[in-house]
């Protein structure tokens, strides 16, 4: 799978922080049942790699690793079953080709230029709401028509549609569809409902560049 084909599967990628591997399967099933089939498990907890393995068993789910900070983490996530990797920034020496597709994060024009030079076409804008949000993405359109974005960081049910309306936004990422207290309480119905609302937001806008 290419990163473009993954990012077009759903308008919202849940960004997940999972402490307990026992939560992984029911959480993943709840999100997929609501129509969010691309799941980003952040490598921020000791359970994350096991959660990736558990969620990868769910029919219809495309599971990736988030908070991938270096080459070794990208490799380990792929070994655990991750089908893609997301980083908050550019990883030195890492390009699009590797054990899995990689979605690197950028926050400035200079970082975007470095990412384009490394061969990437798709980027996470992070932290989106802090670094200019919709206005920054609008401003990137003219000088960088070849770049496509998945903004994350401060994206929520209220502002996701504004991002998704931009021609250079393919999808958004966010944690709001899996609130920590709902996961702790095992309130899977609530998570499915949040996922359903997110999945209905809007189809991802056509990407500026396929690949
Ligand atoms: C992250 O990497 O933490 C994501 O961008 C999620 O941010 P959010 O919690 O603001 O949705």
């Amino acid at each position: 799978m290419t990163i473009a084909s993954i990012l077009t599967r759903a308008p919202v990628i849940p960004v997940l922080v999972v402490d307990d591997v026992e939560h992984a399967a029911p959480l993943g099933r709840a999100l997929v049942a609501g129509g969010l089939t691309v799941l980003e498990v952040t490598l921020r907890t000791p359970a994350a790699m096991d959660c990736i393995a558990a969620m990868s068993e769910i029919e219809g789910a495309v599971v990736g690793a988030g908070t991938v900070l270096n080459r070794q983490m990208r490799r380990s996530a792929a070994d655990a079953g991750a089908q893609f990797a997301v980083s908050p920034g550019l990883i030195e020496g890492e390009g699009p080709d590797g054990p899995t597709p990689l979605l690197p994060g950028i926050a400035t024009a200079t970082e975007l230029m470095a990412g384009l030079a490394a061969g990437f076409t798709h980027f996470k804008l992070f932290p989106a709401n802090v670094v200019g949000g919709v206005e920054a993405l609008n401003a990137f359109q003219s000088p960088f028509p070849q770049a496509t974005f998945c903004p994350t960081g401060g994206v929520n049910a209220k502002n996701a549609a504004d991002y998704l309306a931009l021609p250079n936004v393919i999808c958004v990422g966010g944690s709001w569809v899996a609130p920590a207290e709902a996961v702790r309480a095992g309130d899977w119905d609530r998570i499915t409902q949040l996922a359903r609302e997110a999945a209905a937001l809007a189809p991802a806008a056509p990407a500026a560049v396929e690949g």
Side-chain angles (χ1 to χ4, degrees):
M1 273 189 289
T2 64
I3 198 71
S5 71
I6 293 168
L7 300 181
T8 47
R9 288 174 65 97
V12 177
I13 299 179
V15 177
L16 306 171
V17 182
V18 189
D19 292 309
D20 184 347
V21 71
E22 296 299 320
H23 290 151
L27 172 59
R29 283 197 297 266
L31 290 162
V32 171
L36 298 184
T37 58
V38 182
L39 310 175
E40 177 187 333
V41 179
T42 59
L43 301 184
R44 299 180 198 173
T45 67
M49 292 293 186
D50 288 339
C51 291
I52 288 171
M55 284 188 183
S56 297
E57 302 290 319
I58 299 168
E59 195 177 338
V62 175
V63 181
T67 322
V68 173
L69 305 181
N70 54 50
R71 175 186 294 240
Q72 181 54 42
M73 290 169 83
R74 186 180 185 187
R75 175 78 258 166
S76 301
D79 290 344
Q83 291 177 273
F84 66 99
V86 182
S87 179
L90 298 167
I91 303 174
E92 199 175 332
E94 290 294 282
D97 297 328
T100 63
L102 172 64
L103 181 72
I106 65 96
T108 66
T110 299
E111 292 167 3
L112 180 51
M113 288 164 62
L116 290 167
F120 293 101
T121 54
H122 291 69
F123 300 89
K124 160 171 166 148
L125 180 75
F126 182 78
N129 275 18
V130 176
V131 300
V134 165
E135 288 176 24
L137 291 164
N138 261 327
F140 283 155
Q141 274 185 57
S142 179
F144 305 114
Q146 69 276 54
T148 299
F149 298 92
C150 170
T152 77
V155 181
N156 55 46
K158 288 195 178 72
N159 61 17
D162 295 337
Y163 283 107
L164 289 166
L166 298 174
N168 57 351
V169 169
I170 191 168
C171 63
V172 301
S175 59
W176 87 90
V177 288
E181 75 277 7
V183 175
R184 266 196 305 272
D187 191 351
W188 312 125
D189 288 347
R190 180 175 169 218
I191 288 172
T192 293
Q193 183 55 33
L194 288 167
R196 200 170 281 136
E197 288 162 14
L201 269 172
V209 171
E210 291 297 325

